Amino acid sequence: MAIGDPWFEREGWDGGPGLHAFVVGISAYAHLPAPGQPVLPHHYGMRQLSAPALTAYRLAATLRSQADQFDPPLATLRLLVAPSADEVKAEPGLAAFADTVPDHDTFCAFAAAWRKDACRSPQGMTFFYHAGHGIERKTREHLLLLHNFGSDKGAAFSNKAVNIRHILDGMAASEGQTTIAAKQVYFFDACRVTDPEIDTLVAPETGNIWNYKAVPEKDDRLSAWFFAARAGGEAFAHAGETLFGRALLDCLRGGAGVSSVKSDPNADWIITINSLHQRLEMFIDLGNREAGAAQGRNVQFIDGNMRLMRLAKRPDVKVLLSVDPEDAVGVAALSVVDLEDAVVADFVPPTDSAVYEVTAPAGGLIVRAVTEPARDNWKPRVKKLFTIEPPESPCHLSLK
């Protein structure tokens, strides 16, 4: 397979509208120190990473497994990773990518091939994800650091980093590429910390990744740019995955799903850019609680609520059910049913926990409580309808 060829290409794709994905994850850097090794001035405080490559691989595998659900369907998927040894142990499939490292030349080759496919149809869509080290200059230019960053040869960033402005501007519909996909979504899973030492450099240029004409004054793209960190902030990892990437995976696997007809839970469940925008923050909050981290996120630019994909089924929701008064716990019998009266869970009698946890499909949920024998000032029977949505929904029932 030549450098830049897709990891996945839809069988029988004829060049019509399709989703074109480019996924990058860099954990192992050629010139950055490992734990215990000294950080030299030209490293700018950076060390090896432990999660971006594995996260990128899992994201690419998820896109591939849901290829038919995207709007339009996935046509091509390019994966470019530099995994650590521990990541290869966790996911042996990463070993196949050991010979194609994301240095500047390789990144440029992949980017050019990705853009060429994206120019096949303006009704297509592009998906870009990059996880690894990042830095932000005082000019608000966000740089993604490539595999060969940290060498003491040459300028700090020349042909060792990518300026996201070059990616975004190079994907605009301009002279010579008027047929490029009009729907575009970008995910930058990297820190945006600043370094005063870098801001003193006279020539901190990165080098461009491709040729492109001037961006038109009227940019008609429907596009969204998601950042794992706010300006000046950090991106975090936990349990082998980046927190932002983990949240994105949870969203794409159903967590960002909403009913295409709000009043009808039996209608198609879809993910839109707006629902992804909202739910991503919720899943990041859950990840922060689990990891004790302060992962942020930022949507730098969004224009239009484009539909990203259709889900194969309603997403599952963690339901946190509570009742009052407190002495109802262990006394009242609870039954949880869906809108078609199918039993989801029974607690007869409930456990001694103050909150009962159950997983149910998103949409409507009915909770019934029965107290026998009846008690003074208690309602003997209570029934309540709840609307539940990912990632979790609290449902409270009062017996008084």
Side-chain angles (χ1 to χ4, degrees):
M1 186 170 70
I3 290 179
D5 282 352
W7 181 54
F8 166 86
E9 184 169 359
R10 171 177 291 279
E11 186 176 352
W13 177 56
D14 61 0
L19 173 66
H20 303 283
F22 181 18
V23 177
V24 184
I26 309 175
S27 299
Y29 282 79
H31 306 290
L32 293 183
Q37 294 180 335
V39 177
L40 302 177
H42 55 272
H43 297 145
Y44 293 98
M46 309 286 181
R47 290 186 178 275
Q48 302 290 344
L49 297 175
S50 62
L54 181 57
T55 305
Y57 183 88
R58 289 175 175 170
L59 175 62
T62 296
L63 297 178
R64 186 171 177 169
S65 69
Q66 299 179 155
D68 293 335
Q69 296 172 231
F70 287 94
D71 183 18
L74 183 66
T76 64
L77 167 60
R78 289 172 170 83
L79 178 60
L80 183 57
V81 292
S84 66
D86 287 342
E87 287 173 308
V88 175
K89 287 180 183 177
E91 178 46 72
L94 280 166
F97 298 88
D99 295 332
T100 310
V101 295
D103 59 16
H104 192 268
D105 286 348
T106 306
F107 186 96
C108 289
F110 271 75
W114 171 60
R115 185 173 67 171
K116 182 178 179 180
D117 282 340
C119 286
R120 299 286 191 95
S121 171
Q123 284 76 47
M125 183 175 180
T126 63
F127 182 109
F128 178 86
Y129 172 86
H130 191 291
H133 273 306
I135 200 163
E136 185 156 307
R137 301 202 289 246
K138 65 182 179 182
T139 53
R140 289 294 178 91
E141 290 184 310
H142 188 193
L143 308 184
L144 307 174
L145 308 186
L146 297 172
H147 175 261
N148 53 328
F149 172 79
S151 167
D152 61 351
K153 296 179 175 60
F157 299 105
S158 179
N159 295 327
K160 302 170 187 174
V162 174
N163 188 326
I164 69 162
R165 177 172 54 82
H166 296 163
I167 299 174
L168 298 173
D169 287 354
M171 290 296 288
S174 58
E175 183 184 348
Q177 56 183 45
T178 57
T179 58
I180 198 165
K183 296 199 300 185
Q184 301 182 7
V185 59
Y186 299 86
F187 302 91
F188 302 108
D189 191 356
C191 291
R192 297 174 67 185
V193 295
T194 56
D195 187 324
E197 189 65 27
I198 290 173
D199 289 334
T200 64
L201 298 177
V202 174
E205 288 81 5
T206 61
N208 210 334
I209 60 171
W210 45 26
N211 293 318
Y212 59 89
K213 302 293 179 69
V215 177
E217 186 174 334
K218 183 179 181 181
D219 190 342
D220 291 329
R221 281 179 288 184
L222 288 174
S223 61
W225 313 342
F226 293 85
F227 293 81
R230 296 179 177 88
E234 295 182 82
F236 297 86
H238 177 66
E241 293 179 312
T242 70
L243 288 184
F244 180 86
R246 171 77 259 173
L248 177 58
L249 278 165
D250 286 336
C251 285
L252 293 178
R253 290 168 178 167
V258 291
S259 176
S260 57
V261 181
K262 203 167 188 179
S263 60
D264 182 6
N266 293 318
D268 283 346
W269 281 72
I270 62 175
I271 295 177
T272 68
I273 290 300
N274 279 356
S275 71
L276 180 60
H277 178 188
Q278 295 162 1
R279 299 281 175 75
L280 194 59
E281 183 171 19
M282 296 178 185
F283 278 102
I284 286 173
D285 287 344
L286 291 177
N288 280 336
R289 294 207 307 257
E290 179 183 349
Q295 176 71 61
R297 68 114 179 96
N298 178 246
V299 180
Q300 194 81 349
F301 172 86
I302 185 168
D303 182 15
N305 185 25
M306 70 181 102
R307 175 166 159 166
L308 182 60
M309 63 188 299
R310 172 189 53 80
L311 298 177
K313 63 182 183 66
R314 283 189 283 167
D316 288 335
V317 181
K318 182 198 293 187
V319 179
L320 305 175
L321 177 60
S322 60
V323 296
D324 70 63
E326 288 185 7
D327 51 359
V329 175
V331 176
L334 300 180
S335 178
V336 182
V337 301
D338 62 22
L339 297 183
E340 297 175 353
D341 214 32
V343 175
V344 175
D346 279 319
F347 301 97
V348 186
T351 64
D352 59 1
S353 171
V355 178
Y356 315 122
E357 185 177 315
V358 63
T359 299
L365 198 67
I366 297 170
V367 182
R368 301 181 181 129
V370 177
T371 304
E372 293 180 351
R375 296 196 173 193
D376 289 344
N377 299 321
W378 285 29
K379 300 171 185 174
R381 295 178 182 274
V382 177
K383 176 180 176 181
K384 189 172 181 180
L385 171 65
F386 296 93
T387 299
I388 60 171
E389 296 181 336
E392 61 183 25
S393 288
C395 298
H396 182 75
L397 207 62
S398 177
L399 302 183
K400 282 195 169 184

